[in-house]
Amino acid sequence: MKTVFSGLKPSGDMTIGNYLGAMKNWPYQQGLARTIFFVPNAHAITVRQDPTELKKRTYDLVAWLITVGLDPKKSIILVQSKVPAHAELCWILDNYVTMGELSRMTEYKDKSQKLGPEGQLVGLFNYPVLMAADILLYDANEVPVGEDQRQHLELARTIAERFNRLYGNTFVLPKATIPKTGARIMGLDDPTKKMSKSDHPDSFIMLAETADSIRKKIKRAVTDSDNRIIYDKKGKPAVSNLIEIYAGFSDETISVIEKRFVGKGYGEFKAELAELVVEKLSQLQAEFYKIRDNEAMLDKVIDSGSAKAAEIANEKLREVKEKIGLL
Ligand code: TRP
């Protein structure tokens, strides 16, 4: 049986971009594959975090995982810091990757440029190696992520191949599985930039956004020059982005959506889109608050999931140590 593994950093409130690009797809293979999902909280500390806030967001994220349909009886749900094997394998893999390879990671280049010398922490540089360790510990075949994680996945594969060549078959070579639509939801105010919580509030919609605010933000979203609802990423990037959001929440194909809106303008389309997003998000939110309220239950999920994960991870770590001569 193949293994599906993924996670999302608990470093900010989640947006509909995180949801449509990644999380929404995670439950699909539950029951058909070994499914493992985690909260990479040790990745979050590569930029400074408020400790109380980080803890809260870790619980939030576990609650969201359950909200979107992950069932702790069918999937392993773990928190990274509860399974020390991640950090230990990261240290080992650090010796199978070069400074040059890590310097070419675009996420590092972007972030370190934004943060300046003070923020250029070794942990931030090393982020992709910890990520490779996360994935390789569990023999993950498929890693469902958004488009922005593709390069990190390629590096994990390179490291795995290199290790296997040196010591014989040890790691499964992981593959990124990126959805055809929704993998890269763009900012509502600027369709050339990925939707991000760190940009202007008008550019993103949070999963926890209120109905009024969702309506306002969609109304204000930029559109393109003519008044037609047609998907054309190059020629009409803003409307195409809104169509992708519509498709993600309605589970309809782009051509079905285009047909529905033939002869209708942006105003009508945006009003319908807003109601769709409000309806779907308010359902999710109601479910989320119920689950989030029960922290004792969340602790149980985290502890038992992390214990199950540790068994798998420790076995892989033991094999790796044996191969390289570490006692
Ligand atoms: N880098 C991912 C993000 O930004 C989080 C992550 C860390 C991850 N380790 C992973 C995702 C392993 C998939 C697999 O959200």
Side-chain angles (χ1 to χ4, degrees), residues 59 289-299:
Y59 280 101
Y289 290 119
K290 248 194 283 164
I291 294 165
R292 181 65 180 88
D293 237 18
N294 192 348
E295 227 167 77
M297 180 276 288
L298 292 174
D299 271 324

Side-chain angles (χ1 to χ4, degrees), residues 5-9 26 38 40 43 80 107 127 130-132 134-135 143-145 148-149 152-153:
F5 177 92
S6 196
L8 256 180
K9 248 184 328 204
W26 292 351
F38 85 131
H43 272 111
Q80 191 181 33
E107 188 170 318
Y127 181 114
L130 180 57
M131 181 159 165
D134 299 333
I135 297 166
V143 185
V145 283
D148 59 332
Q149 297 301 316
H152 287 156
L153 256 298

Side-chain angles (χ1 to χ4, degrees), residues 71-73 75-79 82-83 296-312:
D71 176 350
K73 290 198 199 77
S75 291
I76 296 178
I77 296 177
L78 69 127
V79 169
K82 293 248 177 190
V83 185
M297 180 276 288
L298 292 174
D299 271 324
K300 263 195 215 135
V301 167
I302 293 169
D303 286 347
S304 80
S306 301
K308 273 187 235 157
E311 268 179 46
I312 303 169

Side-chain angles (χ1 to χ4, degrees), residues 95-141:
N95 303 290
Y96 299 88
V97 64
T98 66
M99 301 274 286
E101 284 169 318
L102 293 183
S103 307
R104 285 192 286 278
M105 293 292 114
T106 49
E107 188 170 318
Y108 176 74
K109 285 196 277 188
D110 291 350
K111 277 206 176 145
S112 63
Q113 206 185 9
K114 255 192 224 150
L115 294 166
E118 295 286 303
Q120 288 163 13
L121 303 172
V122 176
L124 188 67
F125 189 65
N126 207 22
Y127 181 114
V129 188
L130 180 57
M131 181 159 165
D134 299 333
I135 297 166
L136 300 179
L137 275 175
Y138 299 98
D139 289 336
N141 306 88

